Amino acid sequence: MGLFVNPDNRAFQDAINAEIYVDKTGLLEVTNRFLATPQKFICNSRPRRFGKSMAANMLAAYYSKGCDSHELFAGLVIEKNSDYEKYLNKFDVIHFDVQWCFKEAGSAEKTVSFITQTILSELRDIYGDIIPEHVKKVSGALAYISAATGNKFVIIIDEWDVLIRDEAMNKAVQEEYIDFLRNLFKGIEPTKFIALAYMTGILPIKKYKTQSALNNFLEYTMINPGPLASYVGFTKEEVTLLCQQYNIDFTELKRWYDGYLLGGYHVYNPCAVINLIFQGNFQSYWTQTGTYESILPLINMDFDGLRSAIIDMLAGESVEVIPYFFQNDMVSFRDKDDVLTLLIHLGYLAYNQKRSQAFIPNEEIRFEFAMATKVNKWSELISFQKESRALLNAVLDYDTEAVSEMLEKIHNQYTSVIEYHDENSLSSVLTIAFLSTLDYYFKPVRELPTGRGFADFVYIPKPMYREDYPALVGELKWNKSAATALQQIKEKRYTESLRDYAGEILLVGINYDKKTKEHTCSIENVMK
C-alpha cells in the first residue's frame, strides 16, 4: 500500500461517510465491461464541482490490491453486478492527482519528474529486481513487471489536464507531460500491461491540429458524454429523492441548478445541490470558484459574433456552435465557436448535442454571466438593457402602443440578423427584447405545457420580486392579430400551468403582420 501504487480506500470511505452520498458505483459496471479490451483507455472530462475526484477515488478503492473494500461497497449498486467479486481489489493500481503532484513538486517543471520518481520507487519496493536498474520511466517498469508476472495495471489520473490549463504558455512543460502520457499509454507494450486507464479532468485531451495527442482514448465530455452521462453529476431522479428527503422545493431547485443535457439525462451540479441543502439558500455557489477570473477573459475576446451570442444567451436563447475544431487548451482560439466550446467544457454553458446549440443552463450560471458583464461594463449590453427595460416597463404599464413600437425598434437595431419567417423567429426576437427581465425574472420558459397546449413564453418572477412584478404568459401570432393571441391564452387555459403561483399574472398577446411589417400587442391582467 503506497502513496500512488496500490492505495487504500480511505478517500472513497470519506465520500461514503458523508451525510449526502449519491451512489455512482454503476460507473464500475461500465469500466468492468471495458477492462482488457480496446475500449480500456478512457478520458472522462467534466467541469469543476461535478464529482470527478470522487469517481476516481471510487475506482481506486474498487480495483486496488492495497485494500479490502468488501465492506465499503456492501449494499451499493455494483454489489449486485455479476462481475463484482471478479474484479474487486484484484489489480495493481496506480492512482495520482496531478494537481497535488504539481504542488508537492514545487513547480511545473518538476512535476513529471516527481510523479515518475515516486511511482518508480514504490514499484521497486513491491517488485524489487524485476525492474532493471537502468529503467528510468514508469512505462518501462510496468512493461518489465507485466512480462515477468503477467500482471496488468489499472492507472487512474485525476486532474490530468492541470499542466495544460495552468501552464498554458509553457510549451516545454506541456510537451514533457504529453510525452510522459504517450509513453505510458501509446504503443504495443502498454496494451499488454494496462487493464484500464481512466483519466479525468476539465478539458478533453489536447489536440495537435485535428488529432488527439492520445488518439487511442475514448473521450467522454460535456459535448459527447457517451455511456458515462449519468455517472458524474446528479441526475433528475437523484435530485428528486434528495428534495423529498430534505423538504426542498424541486421546482425552485430546477430553475436554479438544472439545465445540463448529457445524453438522455438532465444533470445537476452536485456541489450546488449539496450547498443548497446545507445552507438553505437558492443562490449562486459558483462565485466561490473564481467565476469572474474564468469568464471575463473569454467573453471579452475579439471574435465576430461572440458578444452578441452571449447577450442572446443571457436573454434565454440558444446559439449554434461548432465544437469540433477546438484544440482542447486555454490559448488556441480561432473564433467564437472555440470560445463557446471551452465555456461548455468549463460548465458555464450547456450543450444540446442533437441541435448543436449552446445555452446558459440555469439561474445560477445566468447570474454569474450577468455579474461578469456588469463588472466589465459592456457598452453594447448597457445600451441594450436600457431599451429592454423600457419595454418591460411599457408591458407593466399596459402601454400596448409603446410595446409595439419598442419591439420594432429593438428588432431593427439589435436583432436584424433574425429574419421573420414564422412564430418561432418572432419568439427569438421577443426573448432577446426582454433581456432586462433577467434582473427580476427567472430564465423564460419556452413552450411551457399548460391546460390544453403550450404557452409560447412564460416569465416567472424571482421570489424576492413577486410582490412587485407579475408573471407574464405570452402567445405569439403571425399574420393574425394580438387579440387572437390573447384569446388563445384564455381558451386553452395557459394560466393553469401557474396554478401553484400566488401572484399577479399578465397575459400578453403579440402579433406580427408580414405585409405591414408592424407589431401589435394586447395585454390583460388576471388576478389570482
Side-chain angles (χ1 to χ4, degrees):
M1 184 171 65
L3 186 63
F4 295 163
V5 181
N6 292 336
D8 61 27
N9 57 22
R10 286 178 295 171
F12 186 54
Q13 179 71 66
D14 283 355
I16 295 288
N17 291 343
E19 178 182 333
I20 300 172
Y21 170 71
V22 174
D23 187 353
K24 293 292 182 178
T25 58
L27 173 62
L28 294 165
E29 296 182 13
V30 179
T31 55
N32 282 348
R33 194 167 79 244
F34 291 168
L35 278 169
T37 72
Q39 291 75 42
K40 64 187 175 183
F41 297 97
I42 299 169
C43 183
N44 187 20
S45 58
R46 292 290 186 275
R48 286 187 179 94
R49 316 181 317 153
F50 266 72
K52 299 185 300 296
S53 295
M54 191 278 286
N57 292 335
M58 177 182 71
L59 266 67
Y62 178 74
Y63 289 115
S64 176
K65 287 181 177 179
C67 54
D68 181 351
S69 297
H70 282 83
E71 184 177 344
L72 193 61
F73 286 96
L76 300 180
V77 168
I78 188 60
E79 188 185 28
K80 301 174 183 177
N81 186 267
S82 59
D83 289 329
Y84 169 66
E85 289 284 352
K86 181 179 179 180
Y87 301 122
L88 179 64
N89 303 134
K90 297 296 195 301
F91 289 92
D92 283 315
V93 168
I94 298 173
H95 175 207
F96 59 92
D97 178 341
V98 179
Q99 179 75 65
W100 186 87
C101 293
F102 187 175
K103 293 178 181 178
E104 284 297 305
S107 70
E109 288 75 14
K110 296 178 181 178
T111 301
V112 171
S113 176
F114 173 79
I115 294 170
T116 299
Q117 296 308 314
T118 303
I119 294 174
L120 282 176
S121 175
E122 294 185 12
L123 288 173
R124 284 194 163 100
D125 287 343
I126 299 170
Y127 287 102
D129 294 340
I130 290 177
I131 307 172
E133 290 187 7
H134 71 270
V135 171
K136 304 298 181 185
K137 294 181 179 180
V138 174
S139 55
L142 299 183
Y144 277 104
I145 292 169
S146 183
T149 66
N151 291 356
K152 289 187 176 233
F153 287 78
V154 171
I155 300 178
I156 304 163
I157 303 179
D158 195 9
E159 298 286 359
W160 88 269
D161 58 334
V162 164
L163 295 178
I164 305 298
R165 288 186 285 110
D166 293 359
E167 296 297 314
M169 305 304 295
N170 195 332
K171 188 175 180 180
V173 164
Q174 292 201 6
E175 288 181 349
E176 180 188 27
Y177 180 53
I178 293 296
D179 284 344
F180 168 78
L181 295 177
R182 281 174 169 158
N183 287 334
L184 198 54
F185 298 127
K186 292 273 290 180
I188 296 175
E189 289 305 316
T191 63
K192 298 176 183 178
F193 62 69
I194 289 179
L196 177 73
Y198 183 92
M199 300 199 308
T200 186
I202 295 174
L203 294 177
I205 296 171
K206 167 73 178 157
K207 289 181 182 178
Y208 290 97
K209 295 184 179 179
T210 59
Q211 186 73 34
S212 168
L214 299 169
N215 60 4
N216 56 331
F217 271 71
L218 294 174
E219 296 200 60
Y220 303 112
T221 70
M222 296 295 281
I223 301 292
N224 183 16
L228 307 189
S230 64
Y231 296 121
V232 181
F234 289 170
T235 65
K236 176 183 177 181
E237 292 73 21
E238 291 162 347
V239 171
T240 299
L241 289 174
L242 288 172
C243 286
Q244 293 171 356
Q245 182 180 350
Y246 288 93
N247 194 29
I248 292 174
D249 184 345
F250 174 75
T251 301
E252 198 75 3
L253 186 149
K254 179 180 174 66
R255 290 194 190 106
W256 273 94
Y257 308 115
D258 185 21
Y260 297 99
L261 303 178
L262 300 183
Y265 297 91
H266 280 252
V267 175
Y268 296 69
N269 187 312
C271 186
V273 174
I274 291 172
N275 272 322
L276 168 66
I277 290 172
F278 285 133
Q279 297 189 34
N281 296 318
F282 288 100
Q283 64 183 52
S284 173
Y285 294 101
W286 275 81
T287 306
Q288 302 167 12
T289 61
T291 303
Y292 297 146
E293 292 79 1
S294 300
I295 289 180
L296 281 176
L298 297 173
I299 65 177
N300 284 325
M301 288 186 173
D302 187 22
F303 290 121
D304 285 345
L306 178 58
R307 289 197 173 194
S308 62
I310 298 298
I311 292 173
D312 288 354
M313 287 187 288
L314 274 169
E317 286 294 299
S318 297
V319 299
E320 291 187 4
V321 58
I322 301 173
Y324 307 112
F325 302 107
F326 177 52
Q327 296 297 294
N328 299 337
D329 61 28
M330 306 294 287
V331 293
S332 304
F333 301 105
R334 300 175 307 112
D335 53 29
K336 74 175 179 65
D337 285 334
D338 284 351
V339 177
L340 297 179
T341 301
L342 176 57
L343 288 169
I344 292 168
H345 289 305
L346 293 174
Y348 297 121
L349 294 178
Y351 182 70
N352 186 319
Q353 190 175 4
K354 292 181 179 179
R355 298 181 179 179
S356 297
Q357 291 180 334
F359 57 95
I360 293 175
N362 51 49
E363 190 63 27
E364 181 184 38
I365 303 301
R366 190 165 70 133
F367 172 84
E368 294 298 336
F369 268 103
M371 290 301 100
T373 54
K374 285 181 180 178
V375 167
N376 204 47
K377 297 181 180 178
W378 280 14
S379 57
E380 309 99 305
L381 189 58
I382 292 172
S383 175
F384 183 58
Q385 283 181 321
K386 183 178 179 180
E387 301 280 357
S388 179
R389 191 164 286 111
L391 173 64
L392 175 60
N393 289 336
V395 170
L396 299 180
D397 291 337
Y398 304 90
D399 190 342
T400 57
E401 184 175 339
V403 171
S404 301
E405 292 175 357
M406 290 178 190
L407 278 174
E408 184 66 28
K409 180 179 180 181
I410 289 173
H411 174 247
N412 290 336
Q413 290 184 354
Y414 299 100
T415 59
S416 57
V417 293
I418 299 178
E419 296 292 337
Y420 278 169
H421 296 297
D422 51 27
E423 291 166 10
N424 289 330
S425 54
L426 176 58
S427 178
S428 295
V429 170
L430 186 70
T431 54
I432 295 168
F434 275 101
L435 174 65
S436 66
T437 61
L438 67 88
D439 289 332
Y440 315 107
Y441 291 80
F442 288 113
K443 177 181 177 180
V445 182
R446 303 280 291 274
E447 297 292 331
L448 179 70
T450 58
R452 293 184 297 186
F454 295 84
D456 283 335
F457 67 88
V458 175
Y459 286 89
I460 300 174
K462 298 174 184 178
M464 66 285 288
Y465 296 114
R466 287 180 183 174
E467 292 185 4
D468 301 311
Y469 288 86
L472 306 176
V473 178
E475 179 65 26
L476 310 175
K477 289 300 175 187
W478 175 261
N479 284 337
K480 294 183 181 178
S481 71
T484 300
L486 212 60
Q487 187 62 31
Q488 181 170 321
I489 297 175
K490 298 174 184 178
E491 289 179 353
K492 295 195 174 182
R493 302 198 297 270
Y494 285 171
T495 56
E496 286 188 5
S497 63
L498 301 176
R499 55 183 171 272
D500 295 328
Y501 175 72
E504 185 180 5
I505 300 174
L506 289 190
L507 310 184
V508 182
I510 295 174
N511 179 69
Y512 178 76
D513 189 296
K514 186 178 180 180
K515 291 182 179 180
T516 63
K517 300 187 183 302
E518 292 180 347
H519 298 81
T520 54
C521 175
S522 293
I523 302 171
E524 188 172 314
N525 187 303
V526 176
M527 299 298 295
K528 293 197 69 177

